[in-house]
């Protein structure tokens, strides 16, 4: 009567940065929820591993070895999908990186690399997928931000600026595209153990600093993130738009 479906059966999702870490987990979780998954990253061997795991749960994987900072390659992905008549119903802009320089030390090249990878690529994929979703009657766009977009972290001003921009971009795209049946939302994780953070989390003192400001006193496990990602991609979130869901063990509410 009231419970909407959390299933992604019959849907096709595109996940950037799906070669490892959070993107790989979301791609596999979407497959477990029934979706076929288009997976994008620069490392073919990583993609092949993710594809094997997707197909082991019975759905299809479409692999694209591409650099999300290269506009021709981004457009090429969608042109190929058009030719193969594969519609993207769900887009997850996950690809991201960080160079943890102090503000005085940030070079123009570092600025460009972080901005282009984390922010501009998400906008390019959203434009390409959003245009097609408008024509097909709707879809879901989810971009991975970070608590760093909401509170100040010691892990770099440029990274934090991209994540804050993603939160605002999410609102603006939701404002423009809600009329087309497109839900645009963001997920803001706190620390999860992935290749991006492995070294940081191996430092016992640093890990203790993290736990001291985390009400749940643990870092995230990847299934903690996949659940919210499936929710936002499903019809259960059809009236959720322009929001950022922090998946952070309570970190962003930290009070005293
Ligand atoms: N781990 C964490 O604690 C947190 C992560 N996040 C965010 O989650 C997202 C994923 O992070 P995480 O899984 O930890 O990172 P990882 O470094 O583990 O994985 C990043 C993925 O993105 C891909 N990628 C990076 N640059 C490009 C590029 N230019 N073109 C195509 N693919 C690219 C990588 O593949 P390849 O290098 O082979 O191209 C890899 O598959 C990021 O946006 C990050 O900011 C947010 C908060 C916390
Ligand atoms: C929680 C942050 O996003 C975290 O900070 C880092 O240094 C890593 O880049 C993670 O993304």
């Amino acid at each position: 009567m009231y419970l909407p479906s959390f299933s992604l059966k019959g849907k096709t999702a595109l996940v950037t940065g799906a070669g490892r870490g959070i993107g790989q987990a979301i791609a596999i979780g979407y497959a477990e929820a029934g979706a076929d998954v288009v997976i994008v990253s620069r490392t073919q061997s990583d993609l092949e591993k993710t594809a094997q795991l997707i197909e082991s749960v019975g759905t299809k994987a479409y692999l694209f070895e591409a650099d999300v900072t290269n506009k021709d390659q981004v457009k090429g992905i969608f042109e190929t999908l058009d030719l193969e008549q594969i519609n993207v119903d769900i887009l997850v802009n996950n690809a991201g990186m960080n160079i943890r320089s102090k503000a005085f030390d940030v070079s123009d090249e570092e600025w460009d690399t972080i901005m282009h990878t984390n922010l501009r690529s998400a906008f390019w994929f959203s434009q390409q997928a959003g245009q097609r979703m408008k024509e097909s009657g709707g879809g879901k766009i989810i971009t991975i931000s970070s608590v760093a977009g909401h509170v100040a972290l010691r892990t770099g001003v440029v990274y934090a600026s991209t994540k804050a921009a993603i939160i605002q971009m999410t609102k603006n795209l939701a404002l423009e595209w809600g009329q087309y049946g497109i839900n645009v939302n963001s997920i803001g994780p706190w620390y999860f153990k992935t290749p991006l953070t492995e070294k940081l989390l191996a430092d016992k003192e640093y890990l203790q600093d993290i736990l001291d400001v985390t009400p749940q006193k643990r870092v995230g496990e990847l299934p903690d993130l996949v659940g919210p990602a499936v929710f936002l991609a499903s019809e259960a979130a059809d009236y959720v738009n322009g929001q950022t869901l922090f998946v952070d063990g309570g970190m962003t509410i930290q009070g005293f």
Side-chain angles (χ1 to χ4, degrees):
M1 290 286 278
Y2 288 101
L3 181 65
S5 171
F6 288 77
S7 168
L8 304 181
K9 196 166 171 47
K11 304 290 185 187
T12 298
L14 187 155
V15 183
T16 69
R20 55 179 187 266
I22 288 171
Q24 182 183 63
I26 290 175
I28 295 162
Y30 280 6
E32 289 169 330
D36 293 336
V37 196
V38 180
I39 52 178
V40 180
S41 84
R42 293 168 301 183
T43 308
Q44 183 68 16
S45 55
D46 284 354
L47 291 173
E48 285 165 3
K49 273 187 221 134
T50 303
Q52 196 184 3
L53 292 164
I54 288 168
E55 288 169 353
S56 71
V57 299
T59 64
K60 290 195 198 100
Y62 305 96
L63 290 68
F64 286 89
E65 186 183 352
D67 181 343
V68 299
T69 67
N70 180 314
K71 191 163 192 176
D72 288 338
Q73 292 184 24
V74 173
K75 289 171 76 172
I77 291 168
F78 285 91
E79 285 158 5
T80 302
L81 292 171
D82 291 344
L83 282 175
E84 295 181 12
Q85 296 183 319
I86 296 169
N87 280 329
V88 173
D89 306 294
I90 303 155
L91 167 67
V92 179
N93 295 303
N94 163 78
M97 60 86 74
N98 195 7
I99 303 167
R100 301 182 186 94
S101 300
K102 294 298 176 203
F104 288 131
D105 304 329
V106 173
S107 68
D108 291 350
E109 192 190 5
E110 282 181 5
W111 172 277
D112 287 345
T113 302
I114 302 168
M115 280 285 171
H116 294 173
T117 307
N118 295 9
L119 181 60
R120 192 172 64 172
S121 75
F123 184 63
W124 284 348
F125 273 89
S126 299
Q127 282 182 310
Q128 292 290 328
Q131 184 61 52
R132 290 162 174 82
M133 289 173 181
K134 177 186 171 188
E135 288 154 14
S136 64
K140 306 282 187 180
I141 296 176
I142 299 157
T143 302
I144 307 298
S145 173
S146 163
V147 299
H150 184 64
V151 294
L153 297 191
R154 63 185 86 157
T155 55
V157 59
V158 183
Y159 176 88
S161 302
T162 66
K163 297 304 185 179
I166 283 168
I167 291 170
Q168 192 58 33
M169 180 176 83
T170 294
K171 296 173 193 171
N172 276 65
L173 292 181
L175 180 71
E176 283 194 41
W177 296 350
Q179 61 188 311
Y180 307 126
I182 300 171
N183 294 73
V184 188
N185 292 293
S186 161
I187 291 174
W190 183 208
Y191 273 105
F192 283 74
K193 193 171 177 191
T194 69
L196 178 72
T197 58
E198 210 150 4
K199 285 198 183 72
L200 281 178
L201 298 178
D203 176 329
K204 288 197 177 357
E205 266 182 46
Y206 195 88
L207 178 60
Q208 191 52 55
D209 287 352
I210 292 169
L211 301 181
D212 288 348
V213 296
T214 309
Q216 287 188 238
K217 300 301 173 198
R218 68 174 177 89
V219 296
E221 302 290 336
L222 289 172
D224 294 322
L225 204 63
V226 171
V230 169
F231 160 64
L232 286 175
S234 74
E235 69 177 45
D238 276 356
Y239 201 53
V240 178
N241 225 332
Q243 303 304 310
T244 292
L245 180 54
F246 289 105
V247 183
D248 66 355
M251 181 268 188
T252 47
I253 61 161
Q254 182 61 27
F256 177 74

